[in-house]
């Protein structure tokens, strides 16, 4: 009887604690959104002014530059339930004889930028599992090698990205220079990294990917 009472009390306390944590996180997100709505607009105006002075202008059919930048800042401050960033942001510039060619190359470079960020995140996770002695040093070395070798695979695994900022300018030889800033869902980024690492490990005939699934919660 005492055990039932204690168990009931513990469950009640846990439920109450969970509610408090959820409420606290909602308040943090609410305050962050209000704060960054104000800050983003200010920062967006400042950056838009700087870019305009440098000759940049919004792409045809796109939102005004200030609105694009405002959206970019706000997306960088979006968090999930665990208060981790919801998006990874990549940026790149490219010059081409025509607008479409420059834009396509800029998008490809921005994806490579994202792939590099994903590499860094995954490597940090692996180093953490080694520090916690959940992964043997030789196993970690093998995985890090796969991550390092998998940048192109990660880039290829990246699915649909959101083009948040797209601006351009005409350079001295009349070519077009395009600047893009893209956003990619963090969960999808983790899936892209998982796929790339898994493929590389399987090619080596190593069975580490199953262990990684459990250790890194993939």
């Amino acid at each position: 009887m005492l055990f039932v009472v204690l168990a009931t009390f513990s469950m009640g306390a846990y439920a109450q604690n969970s509610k408090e944590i959820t409420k606290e996180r909602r308040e943090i997100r609410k305050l962050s959104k209000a704060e960054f709505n104000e800050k983003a607009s200010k920062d967006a105006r400042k950056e838009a002014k700087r870019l305009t002075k440098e000759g940049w202008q919004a792409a045809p059919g796109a939102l005004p530059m200030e609105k694009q930048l405002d959206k970019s800042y706000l997306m960088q401050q979006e968090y999930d339930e665990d208060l981790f960033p919801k998006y990874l942001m990549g940026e790149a510039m490219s010059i081409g004889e025509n607008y479409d060619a420059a834009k396509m190359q800029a998008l490809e470079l921005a994806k490579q930028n994202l792939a590099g960020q994903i590499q860094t995140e995954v490597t940090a996770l692996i180093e953490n599992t080694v520090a916690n002695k959940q992964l043997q040093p030789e196993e970690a070395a093998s995985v890090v090698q796969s991550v390092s070798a998998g940048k192109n695979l990660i880039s290829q695994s990246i699915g649909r990205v959101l083009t948040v900022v797209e601006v351009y300018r005409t350079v001295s030889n009349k070519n077009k220079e395009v600047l893009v800033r893209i956003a990619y869902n963090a969960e999808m980024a983790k899936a892209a990294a998982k796929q790339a690492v898994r493929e590389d490990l399987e090619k080596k005939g190593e069975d580490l990917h199953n262990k990684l699934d459990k250790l890194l919660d993939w």
Side-chain angles (χ1 to χ4, degrees):
M1 181 65 178
L2 179 60
F3 174 77
V4 174
V5 172
L6 287 173
T8 304
F9 175 79
S10 297
M11 289 176 67
Y14 175 79
Q16 181 64 29
N17 190 42
S18 296
K19 286 180 181 179
E20 288 176 359
I21 291 172
T22 301
K23 183 180 178 181
E24 183 180 343
R25 285 178 175 170
R26 283 176 181 165
E27 289 300 317
I28 290 172
R29 282 199 299 273
K30 186 177 178 181
L31 289 171
S32 295
K33 187 174 180 181
E35 179 184 347
F36 282 105
N37 266 326
E38 183 178 350
K39 185 179 178 183
S41 295
K42 182 179 178 181
D43 289 345
R45 287 195 299 270
K46 186 177 179 180
E47 187 176 2
K49 188 176 180 180
R50 176 181 63 80
L51 289 173
T52 300
K53 282 184 177 180
E54 294 175 0
W56 296 96
Q57 57 186 301
L63 290 171
M65 191 189 303
E66 188 177 301
K67 291 290 185 182
Q68 293 185 54
L69 293 168
D70 196 45
K71 183 178 179 182
S72 171
Y73 285 126
L74 290 173
M75 289 183 75
Q76 289 178 62
Q77 301 303 328
E78 285 194 52
Y79 299 93
D80 62 18
E81 289 294 328
D82 297 313
L83 295 182
F84 287 109
K86 285 182 68 174
Y87 297 99
L88 291 178
M89 310 292 289
E91 182 177 297
M93 291 184 289
S94 183
I95 298 176
E97 292 184 1
N98 59 67
Y99 186 89
D100 290 338
K103 177 184 174 181
M104 187 177 298
Q105 179 64 17
L107 284 171
E108 193 57 40
L109 290 172
K111 281 189 177 183
Q112 287 289 332
N113 181 286
L114 277 177
Q117 291 182 52
I118 296 169
Q119 273 186 317
T120 301
E121 291 292 330
V122 174
T123 301
L125 280 173
I126 293 165
E127 288 173 347
N128 189 53
T129 59
V130 175
N132 293 331
K133 304 196 183 304
Q134 295 173 288
L135 202 63
Q136 295 299 317
E138 59 273 15
E139 292 177 325
S142 182
V143 177
V144 169
Q145 187 179 32
S146 291
V147 174
S148 298
K151 184 175 180 179
N152 287 332
L153 280 175
I154 292 173
S155 181
Q156 292 165 17
S157 299
I158 290 175
R160 181 174 173 268
V161 297
L162 300 173
T163 303
V164 187
V165 175
E166 182 183 339
V167 295
Y168 78 101
R169 62 184 174 185
T170 303
V171 294
S172 57
N173 60 358
K174 304 301 181 183
N175 284 351
K176 302 297 182 185
E177 184 174 21
V178 176
L179 181 154
V180 296
R181 189 173 296 167
I182 61 176
Y184 195 59
N185 181 277
E187 285 299 313
M188 293 173 69
K190 188 163 67 173
K194 173 185 174 181
Q195 182 63 27
V197 172
R198 176 184 285 271
E199 286 181 17
D200 195 69
L201 288 173
E202 287 179 344
K203 284 179 185 177
K204 296 177 182 176
E206 298 184 45
D207 195 34
L208 274 172
H209 55 270
N210 290 323
K211 191 171 184 179
L212 282 176
D213 286 349
K214 295 177 182 178
L215 291 178
L216 303 182
D217 193 27
W218 277 357

